[in-house]
Amino acid sequence: MKISILITILLSTLLAGCGGAKDNNNAAAGKGGEITIGSKNFTENVLLAHMMADLIEDKTDISVKRQVNLGGSNVAWTALENNEIQLYPDYTGTIVANYYQEKTGTSEESLAKTKELVKKDGLAFLEPFGFNNTYTLAVTRKTAETYKLKTFSDLAKVSSDMVLGVEFEFLDREDGYPGIKKLYGMNFKQSKGMDHGIMYRAIEDGETDVTNAYATDAQIKVHDLVILQDDKQFFPPYDAGPVIRQETLDKYPELEGILNQLKGLISEEEMQGLNAEVDVDALKEQDVAHDFLIKKGLIKD
């Protein structure tokens, strides 16, 4: 009798130990699976990546890895294609014009074409966040007044006297300088590629005369720059939204509904304000993104 009781105790202990080890392994791996979210190397994209990561962490038991500041558009896109990341925020105009070299159209047309194009490559573009972060060109107020600049066409007439300072990829993208050059006949005295954060210091210090900018960029107000009118409507719409691997969506179908909670949530003005909290007020991207989701009632503190 005593021997049988002892055997029972030993077996129970062994089984409990095995179960405990299994539970620990599940906890380490993330019982709900794992996903890696990336971003490009500028404030806005990092903010959006953190928003998506926070939502997924709050609404699921999926383990989320964050690989933000990967680099420019092509770096992030390649990482997604190679499954190094499974999700990141991108822009309809960038996807259609830059990755697939096709014509865009209106916001609605560009969104439809984006969804169609990425589907062929095993990707999905979900619902847009609500703002259009279109490219533009900007000059200092003094430059605008000196040369009487209001439009891109005005700039083209005096571009040979000016230095262009833009992001590295803008120099090569068809929806960047090469395309503007063809449409408007702009030929700058010199064109310089640089990191996004340096562009504004360069134009303020007089090292450059013209820079590319985003409609939602806080630095436009900080440096009192004048946005020139794209009078021939060269730049396509850049509606931001999540782009995700279809196999990831098939594995975690709940992600579509969760990420679509961000649909139409962020206006241009709100995005500019969020960017300013990081670039001007020196707050951390992750904190700003988290607080925004709390403010909108999507997650709890």
Side-chain angles (χ1 to χ4, degrees):
M1 190 73 173
K2 290 181 179 178
I3 293 174
S4 63
I5 291 171
L6 182 61
I7 291 171
T8 302
I9 293 169
L10 286 170
L11 283 171
S12 299
T13 305
L14 266 172
L15 288 171
C18 290
K22 186 177 179 181
D23 289 343
N24 288 339
N25 287 337
N26 281 340
K31 288 167 69 176
E34 184 177 274
I35 183 172
T36 301
I37 298 178
S39 85
K40 305 184 193 185
N41 58 346
F42 60 94
T43 299
E44 177 174 294
N45 214 251
V46 176
L47 282 166
L48 295 171
H50 282 308
M51 285 183 199
M52 295 192 296
D54 278 2
L55 263 185
I56 293 171
E57 286 178 336
D58 185 76
K59 308 296 181 186
T60 74
D61 59 354
I62 298 171
S63 176
V64 179
K65 284 187 174 181
R66 308 182 194 214
Q67 290 189 356
V68 296
N69 277 310
L70 287 172
S73 295
N74 292 333
V75 174
W77 183 256
T78 301
L80 184 71
E81 289 185 314
N82 293 341
N83 202 24
E84 294 164 7
I85 60 174
Q86 289 77 52
L87 166 68
Y88 84 102
D90 212 331
Y91 305 83
T92 54
T94 301
I95 292 172
V96 175
N98 187 42
Y99 305 148
Y100 292 97
Q101 288 85 50
E102 294 204 13
K103 292 182 179 179
T104 52
T106 65
S107 282
E108 292 76 16
E109 291 167 343
S110 294
L111 177 59
K113 185 167 278 190
T114 296
K115 288 177 178 285
E116 176 189 340
L117 289 170
V118 301
K119 188 175 182 180
K120 297 174 185 177
D121 288 327
L123 306 172
F125 191 87
L126 305 183
E127 295 304 313
F129 300 129
F131 66 91
N132 174 14
N133 189 5
T134 187
Y135 269 128
T136 188
L137 294 178
V139 296
T140 63
R141 193 162 298 280
K142 181 180 178 181
T143 299
E145 291 171 355
T146 301
Y147 292 92
K148 296 180 173 56
L149 302 179
K150 292 184 178 179
T151 67
F152 284 15
S153 292
D154 293 337
L155 178 62
K157 296 172 185 176
V158 295
S159 58
S160 59
D161 296 327
M162 296 187 174
V163 176
L164 176 70
V166 294
E167 292 171 297
F168 289 106
E169 66 179 12
F170 191 84
L171 289 176
D172 303 315
R173 287 171 52 151
E174 192 56 37
D175 61 338
Y177 183 39
I180 291 176
K181 193 173 182 178
K182 289 176 189 173
L183 181 61
Y184 284 99
M186 290 186 190
N187 287 285
F188 290 96
K189 179 171 60 177
Q190 186 181 0
S191 55
K192 298 180 179 180
M194 54 190 69
D195 288 331
H196 183 74
I198 297 174
M199 296 188 313
Y200 296 103
R201 291 203 299 271
I203 195 168
E204 187 172 273
D205 294 342
E207 296 174 15
T208 61
D209 303 296
V210 184
T211 190
N212 72 292
Y214 303 120
T216 58
D217 204 329
Q219 299 295 335
I220 294 171
K221 287 186 177 179
V222 172
H223 297 282
D224 191 29
L225 299 180
V226 174
I227 298 299
L228 301 180
Q229 181 189 349
D230 182 8
D231 50 308
K232 294 183 181 180
Q233 298 181 326
F234 168 76
F235 287 119
Y238 291 88
D239 293 297
V243 59
I244 185 171
R245 292 178 63 85
Q246 185 60 50
E247 63 183 10
T248 302
L249 208 53
D250 292 340
K251 188 175 182 181
Y252 310 114
E254 67 271 25
L255 290 180
E256 183 168 4
I258 290 168
L259 292 171
N260 282 346
Q261 291 181 55
L262 294 169
K263 177 184 177 181
L265 193 73
I266 314 171
S267 67
E268 279 86 1
E269 292 76 16
E270 283 177 312
M271 195 69 245
Q272 192 177 75
L274 294 172
N275 288 332
E277 288 186 47
V278 176
D279 295 336
V280 180
D281 301 333
L283 301 180
K284 292 181 179 179
E285 288 103 333
Q286 190 164 351
D287 294 338
V288 172
H290 191 78
D291 289 344
F292 178 76
L293 294 180
I294 293 173
K295 178 184 174 184
K296 292 292 184 178
L298 293 184
I299 64 173
K300 294 181 180 179
D301 195 356

